[in-house]
Amino acid sequence: MPGRITRDDVAYVARLARLRLTDAELDTFTQQLSDVLEHAGDISALDIADVPPTSHPYPLANVFREDTPVPSVDRGEVLAQAPVAEDGMFRVPPVLGEAP
Amino acid sequence: MSDSATSLEGWEVVVGLEVHAELATRTKLFSGSLNQFGGEPNTNIDPVSLGLPGSLPVLNRQAVELAMRVGLALHCTVQPSVFARKNYFYPDMPKDYQISQYEEPINVDGWLELPSGRRIGIERAHLEEDTGKTTHVGGSGRIHEAGYSLVDYNRAGVPLIEIVGRPDIRSADEARAYVSELRAILVAIGASDGKMEEGSLRVDCNVSVRRRGDTDYGTRCEIKNVNSLRSLGRALDYEAARQVDLLESGEKVTQETRHWNEEEGRTHSLRSKEEAFDYRYFPEPDLVTLDPDSAWIDAVRESLPALPAERRHALAERAGVEPAEVAVIVERGLDALCIDAIGAGADPARVITHAEHNLAVEGAAGLDAAAFAALVGMETGGELTATQAKQVLAEMVDTGADPKSIADARGFEAMDTGELEAIVDGLIADNPDQWHKLCEGDQKLTGFFVGQVMKATQGQADGKVVNRLLQQKKDG
Amino acid sequence: MSDARSIAEAVRSGETAASEVVDSSLAVIAEREGEIHAFNIVLADEARAAAEAIDRRVAAGEDPGPLAGVPVALKDNICTRGIPTTCSSRILEGWCPPYDATVATRLAEAGAVLVGKTNMDEFAMGSSTENSAFGPTCNPRDTTKVPGGSSGGSAAAVAAGFTPLALGSDTGGSIRQPAALCGVVGAKPTYGFVSRYGLIAFASSLDQIGPLATSVADAALLLDVVGGHDAADSTSIPEAHASLAGVLGEGVSGLRVGVIDELSGEGVAPDVLHRTGEAAEALSAAGAKVEEVSVPATTYGLSAYYLIAPAEASSNLARYDGVRYGLRVDAASTPEMNEATRTAGFGDEVKRRIMLGTYALSAGYYDAYYGKAQKVRTLIIRDFATAYESYDLLLSPTSPTTAFALAEKTDDPLTMYMNDVCTIPSNLAGQPAISVPFGTGDDGLPVGVQVLAPALGEAAMFRAAAVLEEAAP
Ligand SMILES: [Mg+2]
Ligand SMILES: [Zn+2]
């Protein structure tokens, strides 16, 4: 298992997750996450390289829908819930760059 | 920095293309709202394509079928596949993750044959969902200067197939040929409308350069926003030159994503390097394994039409030419007509020439092969000159009438040599200076006399016969 | 208030008006909701209108369904069209879904009357319902104690007699643990048994909706109504299941029951262990063959769970970005707006798990954390499979302790997480488990025992639960 989670690691994941932390929060969260990960260290000792992972507890395959249209939800109802709407669209502050 | 004058001599360009094509389904990849956008914003939306809390994706069977068509047309192996989440924040991505396929895509390991005969490897062709569309308001619509942006989710969730080519392409021309060929395949199998200008087919280019003879790849850049075949060529030429410039001046190429600016004719870095992209892929827990059985795969394979490469080979073989020479004919869908006409006894060379040069018109594919063959027969039998044959052919496409009656109606018949000789003699008499110069050896004037004869005969003279007559007179 | 089955019978026969039932439910709520805070919203007018509609249908000779006139409460992570659905989070405060969850539709079709949306730990992350943005819920048995969580509001609503039935969601024990702490029945069905369509996701591969009720029979009745295949959820099990309410009287004679060693020792309070032992004896007395059994990998459940659940959550909760719905805290650019919104909108526990999960999935750590946890999940499934070769059912405590005091564990996340040690393995394995009240602890507070079954083993599980209910001290 990798080394202890650092303050920098926590700052990094906070940035990835779009969360802003104060210095004090950064300290607290680093400690708490470190405790949890340390507890999770018990599984690091397991030699399970050959064990396949399970991502779905009840394995199913080939679940489909037919290519049949359903009516759109009402735009007005959805936009009424939007923080800011304009011209039938969702308005956001400048996005700064293209999608990655 | 770079300009087109940069010499790439001694360098090799290495290109791998990633093509995203929108699949021609009625509804979205994971929900039932219409696969239709560009109209009134946010009118083809549902809880899934808006990423509403509690909504869940369910896979569109038809999108899977179309993806399999693409895979099989590209000679891929169709394998059991798993959807994964690609996590990143962007307002046009309603869930702030994209459902895609990562480690286990539906199609792997295929190839595409270019008209030149070169095969470009296909690493994978996987299913994923499209994003919505962001419009930037203010700052002339430029992303970095906009005052704010507006998001329309009509396109969010539209099914895409991402076709990842291997870095086997070695020039801008080859890249264009690859995209044309891929587009032709997608259209032929009904998977996509393939319209690059409308964004239903999008190309990202991975470009690197290396010194000729090197076997290791150089550092590559990814070029985005290439919206036409023309830009593709320009962008690749520019980017290759830029990288060669850097390397020749002792600098390094930075691995990054670059944006092609069509107006400026250059690429520029898309984002600051320190921003992290860590997509945190993991298996999509809301979807189950996709594992088409062999019966389904076989049925899809059998339903595929003949693909452009096969059709080029078939026609080339029948006509006794190289596949590359019939690429345009196949592109126009005239190959079946040509094969049938040749089968009906027409001269293959004339058939190919007519199809390539004289049948670039709508409706040409509907031409009756027997009539086409008959026309070619009249031409090769000397009943019609090449020019007459071309005119008759045009009328055949327009009216569907048979070549004999068109030729008769137009009064076409091969002119007898005596008639032509009289015309030639008259022209020599009327243009003594030109005739003198021709006899002195100014070959350009041959064209002048042939042109005059054609004018006098309204194009009904056979050019070859006129040439022969002129030669006889000169020698005479 | 009587049980759901009797209410539905009385309403269907015209003996009792649904309106009266709903009024009495609302009266109990009015009396005690102030001290308990089970609800985020009480839908008094809507409930009365729905009850009147039921009564009109009965008067017209129609059958409104198996839950006719029965008041129900829904955990506030289950979408209800036009009715606020908040996950007890500021980030969704005021949001009204434009659609109903499948379970909400099925309840309405069965004649149930929705009287409110219940409080919960924010986004179902917690074991005490103290992580709600709208304040904690108190345990109706002792209001200085937590009701457990994260479905604490639903468990408290049933325990306080507000509604005979409630739905909760269970990702790592979030139905069973509060059921145990509040002294009611709570079941987590097989993964895929109940549609998740409209359940706001916490950890998609673990989440299941399930019933909370005052009796095993009512829990079975509710599960019969909401369970079954749903084409809107790709992970929904296609096979139909037989009625659970119909098997309750069949007893456990001849069934083999294993008491899980790993969950019945260290870390579990002696009074809880004592009750678990009595429960084993009760099953034995009813004709089951009861033995101890080792399911070794369950020991690693907590570790695996606290990597997998946060990982999935970090992705599921990315959509709360201030763009389309819910809270927005404005800023100069979209990335800053996303960050300001999420920073203001999520509570600490949610942030903690988002960061933990982001870390577990991030470049360089995936294999060591998330990848390894998914392999441990395989081990747990294998060890359960081995146990089920010799046993029909397994038995364990539901929660290591009885209800603890409000604020007792809020400062120490890891200690709080330990509450889920007995319940987590069933979620990781996707298998059903039910908590049945079985006497009280030394403090006089309810103790729950848990019956576990293999996938789709609900029938035997409910039979054993009914036996335990009958035998409970
Ligand atoms: Mg890509
Ligand atoms: Zn893509």
Side-chain angles (χ1 to χ4, degrees):
Chain A
M1 189 139 295
R4 276 183 92 79
I5 188 169
T6 64
R7 212 171 178 274
D8 285 350
D9 292 332
V10 177
Y12 169 75
V13 294
R15 203 165 60 242
L16 269 183
R18 299 257 157 109
L19 294 170
R20 191 182 307 142
L21 303 182
T22 63
D23 278 356
E25 283 173 325
L26 202 46
D27 291 332
T28 313
F29 282 128
T30 303
Q31 185 57 53
Q32 290 169 336
L33 297 189
S34 179
D35 288 349
V36 176
L37 290 167
E38 199 181 320
H39 181 271
D42 62 354
I43 65 174
S44 72
L46 296 170
D47 179 16
I48 47 176
D50 296 338
V51 176
T54 296
S55 50
H56 293 78
Y58 192 97
L60 294 171
N62 297 326
V63 175
F64 302 114
R65 40 174 286 276
E66 296 309 316
D67 190 18
T68 312
V70 297
S72 175
V73 297
D74 180 60
R75 178 172 79 175
E77 184 175 357
V78 169
L79 288 178
Q81 304 270 319
V84 189
E86 184 177 308
D87 290 342
M89 288 178 272
F90 297 83
R91 179 171 163 164
V92 293
V95 294
L96 299 185
E98 315 240 357
Chain B
M1 185 189 2
S2 308
D3 55 59
S4 50
T6 300
S7 165
L8 297 181
E9 206 168 313
W11 293 88
E12 183 174 50
V13 186
V14 175
V15 177
L17 298 180
E18 286 178 20
V19 173
H20 285 85
E22 284 161 357
L23 293 174
T25 53
R26 293 181 73 198
T27 66
K28 293 183 178 180
L29 183 53
F30 298 119
S31 60
S33 55
L34 288 174
N35 171 359
Q36 192 177 295
F37 52 89
E40 188 60 22
N42 293 308
T43 50
N44 292 316
I45 52 174
D46 55 62
V48 174
S49 55
L50 281 173
L52 294 186
S55 62
L56 291 173
V58 185
L59 183 58
N60 182 338
R61 184 195 300 271
Q62 179 63 8
V64 173
E65 174 128 353
L66 292 180
M68 285 163 60
R69 288 179 82 77
V70 174
L72 294 170
L74 295 174
H75 313 94
C76 291
T77 303
V78 176
Q79 60 169 23
S81 60
V82 168
F83 286 91
R85 293 187 184 176
K86 178 183 185 180
N87 295 284
Y88 66 89
F89 283 92
Y90 203 74
D92 66 15
M93 178 61 78
K95 304 177 297 301
D96 290 298
Y97 58 80
Q98 179 192 31
I99 304 178
S100 181
Q101 296 188 313
Y102 185 53
E103 283 179 329
E104 295 162 77
I106 178 166
N107 302 303
V108 291
D109 245 350
W111 47 266
L112 172 154
E113 185 177 302
L114 300 179
S116 67
R118 278 249 299 146
R119 281 186 181 181
I120 306 300
I122 304 291
E123 191 183 314
R124 54 190 283 155
H126 67 253
L127 271 166
E128 62 183 26
E129 56 179 342
D130 207 347
T131 62
K133 195 167 170 11
T134 309
T135 306
H136 309 294
V137 182
S140 344
R142 266 192 275 274
I143 196 164
H144 293 277
E145 292 148 40
Y148 61 93
S149 298
L150 297 172
V151 195
D152 167 17
Y153 292 102
N154 283 344
R155 199 181 64 183
V158 162
L160 294 175
I161 185 117
E162 179 176 341
I163 301 150
V164 182
R166 294 193 193 279
D168 294 345
I169 293 170
R170 292 292 176 269
S171 70
D173 282 346
E174 209 165 62
R176 288 208 310 261
Y178 172 87
V179 173
S180 306
E181 184 68 14
L182 182 53
R183 182 168 59 185
I185 292 170
L186 294 173
V187 171
I189 63 177
S192 177
D193 69 13
K195 290 179 182 157
M196 202 168 175
E197 279 73 8
E198 291 174 23
S200 43
L201 192 135
R202 288 165 243 159
V203 181
D204 297 334
C205 325
N206 288 296
V207 192
S208 64
V209 297
R210 63 182 172 191
R211 295 208 183 262
R212 277 198 190 280
D214 279 4
T215 47
D216 288 349
Y217 292 122
T219 305
R220 66 190 152 91
C221 289
E222 186 177 9
I223 316 297
K224 291 194 182 267
N225 193 44
V226 173
N227 298 325
S228 66
L229 282 183
R230 184 169 170 270
S231 327
L232 175 63
R234 290 179 73 205
L236 289 179
D237 283 337
Y238 172 87
E239 181 60 19
R242 186 189 73 88
Q243 293 185 12
V244 167
D245 267 1
L246 279 173
L247 296 171
E248 283 192 337
S249 55
E251 291 174 67
K252 278 190 174 134
V253 174
T254 312
Q255 183 168 349
E256 60 181 353
T257 301
R258 299 178 65 86
H259 186 88
W260 168 249
N261 185 314
E262 183 68 32
E263 295 90 77
E264 294 173 16
R266 55 184 292 262
T267 64
H268 61 83
S269 184
L270 203 54
R271 63 178 78 92
S272 61
K273 285 149 217 134
E274 66 266 29
E275 197 178 341
F277 284 98
D278 183 341
Y279 293 124
R280 291 157 284 137
Y281 282 99
F282 72 102
E284 165 58 278
D286 288 330
L287 291 167
V288 303
T289 302
L290 171 57
D291 187 6
D293 59 22
S294 53
W296 189 10
I297 297 171
D298 290 345
V300 172
R301 186 183 282 116
E302 253 142 56
S303 72
L304 289 178
L307 297 171
E310 282 172 60
R311 288 164 55 190
R312 286 193 298 269
H313 280 283
L315 176 56
E317 199 179 303
R318 204 76 178 79
V321 296
E322 287 302 308
E325 295 173 60
V326 296
V328 174
I329 295 172
V330 168
E331 221 169 272
R332 291 194 195 127
L334 299 175
D335 46 326
L337 172 69
C338 292
I339 287 173
D340 290 349
I342 294 169
D347 173 51
R350 291 310 300 157
V351 165
I352 296 299
T353 303
H354 279 303
E356 185 172 350
H357 300 291
N358 304 331
L359 285 175
V361 289
E362 188 131 2
L367 205 59
D368 179 61
F372 183 31
L375 170 85
V376 172
M378 289 165 73
E379 187 187 359
T380 48
E383 289 170 54
L384 291 174
T385 66
T387 313
Q388 288 170 336
K390 180 178 169 178
Q391 290 169 4
V392 172
L393 191 55
E395 196 172 326
M396 285 166 69
V397 172
D398 281 348
T399 65
D402 72 286
K404 183 88 179 83
S405 51
I406 296 172
D408 287 349
R410 293 190 172 214
F412 287 168
E413 47 193 77
M415 287 186 127
D416 71 52
T417 313
E419 220 175 307
L420 268 182
E421 197 167 354
I423 294 170
V424 171
D425 287 340
L427 281 168
I428 292 174
D430 291 350
N431 302 281
D433 293 351
Q434 282 87 342
W435 178 245
H436 184 70
K437 281 186 195 157
L438 176 62
C439 293
E440 298 283 277
D442 187 347
Q443 288 303 321
K444 282 202 300 286
L445 285 157
T446 307
F448 167 78
F449 281 100
V450 174
Q452 291 298 309
V453 174
M454 289 300 172
K455 205 169 157 189
T457 62
Q458 284 152 341
Q460 295 182 35
D462 185 329
K464 273 182 271 172
V465 178
V466 177
N467 267 304
R468 205 173 57 231
L469 279 170
L470 287 168
Q471 194 62 41
Q472 282 166 7
K473 302 272 163 198
K474 249 181 2 181
D475 296 346
Chain C
M1 172 176 301
S2 62
D3 63 278
R5 204 176 33 174
S6 324
I7 292 171
E9 257 167 43
V11 170
R12 287 165 103 176
S13 68
E15 188 185 312
T16 308
S19 308
E20 285 169 45
V21 176
V22 165
D23 280 340
S24 83
S25 166
L26 292 170
V28 182
I29 293 169
E31 205 175 297
R32 281 199 81 193
E33 170 63 1
E35 58 168 341
I36 292 171
H37 184 215
F39 288 103
N40 286 339
I41 187 170
V42 175
L43 302 159
D45 294 342
E46 293 86 343
R48 286 198 184 94
E52 283 162 19
I54 302 266
D55 289 334
R56 281 195 298 275
R57 290 183 61 190
V58 173
E62 293 172 42
D63 179 1
L67 292 179
V70 178
V72 295
L74 293 185
K75 189 175 181 177
D76 206 15
N77 57 355
I78 295 171
C79 288
T80 41
R81 179 162 188 173
I83 293 167
T85 301
T86 68
C87 287
S88 289
S89 181
R90 292 273 174 232
I91 214 152
L92 273 177
E93 197 170 359
W95 180 63
C96 294
Y99 74 106
D100 272 320
T102 298
V103 292
T105 306
R106 290 189 179 174
L107 282 173
E109 284 168 0
V113 176
L114 177 63
V115 301
K117 306 287 296 282
T118 60
N119 197 16
M120 56 188 281
D121 284 301
E122 185 178 2
F123 283 100
M125 296 176 188
S127 309
S128 67
T129 315
E130 292 167 291
N131 296 331
S132 165
F134 312 129
T137 295
C138 303
N139 192 319
R141 312 282 178 196
D142 175 349
T143 53
T144 67
K145 299 290 199 288
V146 302
S150 65
S151 310
S154 285
V158 172
F162 294 166
T163 58
L165 300 177
L167 285 179
S169 67
D170 190 316
T171 306
S174 280
I175 290 173
R176 291 160 287 159
Q177 184 257 13
L181 270 50
C182 291
V184 300
V185 176
K188 181 204 93 76
T190 304
Y191 184 81
F193 193 101
V194 179
S195 170
R196 292 183 296 118
Y197 190 73
L199 170 68
I200 300 182
F202 160 16
S204 314
S205 77
L206 302 163
D207 296 341
Q208 263 295 288
I209 291 174
L212 290 127
T214 52
S215 70
V216 172
D218 275 3
L221 178 64
L222 179 51
L223 193 48
D224 279 340
V225 166
V226 297
H229 183 250
D230 178 19
D233 175 358
S234 305
T235 62
S236 172
I237 296 172
E239 292 80 24
H241 65 88
S243 160
L244 299 170
V247 302
L248 297 176
E250 292 177 18
V252 293
S253 181
L255 291 184
R256 299 159 303 165
V257 179
V259 182
I260 304 175
D261 268 345
E262 287 77 6
L263 305 181
S264 307
E266 207 190 329
V268 181
D271 53 349
V272 174
L273 279 182
H274 178 72
R275 290 301 188 196
T276 309
E278 288 180 342
E281 284 162 25
L283 290 172
S284 182
K289 185 178 141 224
V290 183
E291 289 169 351
E292 289 196 352
V293 60
S294 173
V295 189
T298 55
T299 317
Y300 302 109
L302 196 72
S303 294
Y305 176 85
Y306 277 100
L307 295 169
I308 293 167
E312 292 182 8
S314 70
S315 175
N316 284 327
L317 272 65
R319 68 188 66 190
Y320 307 104
D321 59 6
V323 174
R324 292 159 301 277
Y325 40 77
L327 181 72
R328 172 181 297 185
V329 176
D330 212 2
S333 70
T334 288
E336 291 167 284
M337 180 277 284
N338 297 152
E339 193 177 87
T341 299
R342 293 165 61 79
T343 300
F346 290 137
D348 282 351
E349 183 59 28
V350 172
K351 288 177 185 170
R352 199 149 37 230
R353 296 207 199 183
I354 287 174
M355 289 190 287
L356 185 57
T358 303
Y359 185 66
L361 289 174
S362 66
Y365 297 103
Y366 182 95
D367 290 339
Y369 290 121
Y370 184 76
K372 196 120 196 189
Q374 296 284 56
K375 291 178 169 199
V376 168
R377 197 168 184 181
T378 307
L379 294 185
I380 292 171
I381 291 170
R382 284 181 186 173
D383 284 0
F384 270 127
T386 304
Y388 286 123
E389 281 171 18
S390 310
Y391 299 94
D392 300 298
L393 297 169
L394 300 175
L395 187 74
S396 82
T398 305
S399 167
T401 65
T402 56
F404 46 93
L406 286 155
E408 189 182 320
K409 298 183 179 178
T410 44
D411 289 339
D412 184 358
L414 190 55
T415 307
M416 187 69 94
Y417 297 170
M418 299 292 182
N419 280 297
D420 305 329
V421 69
C422 300
T423 45
I424 278 172
S426 303
N427 298 86
L428 290 171
Q431 295 169 359
I434 188 168
S435 179
V436 184
F438 204 81
T440 53
D442 296 343
D443 50 11
L445 291 169
V447 169
V449 293
Q450 179 177 229
V451 180
L452 302 84
L456 295 180
E458 272 84 358
M461 180 181 91
F462 270 90
R463 281 160 57 192
V467 167
L468 290 173
E469 180 179 52
E470 188 66 31

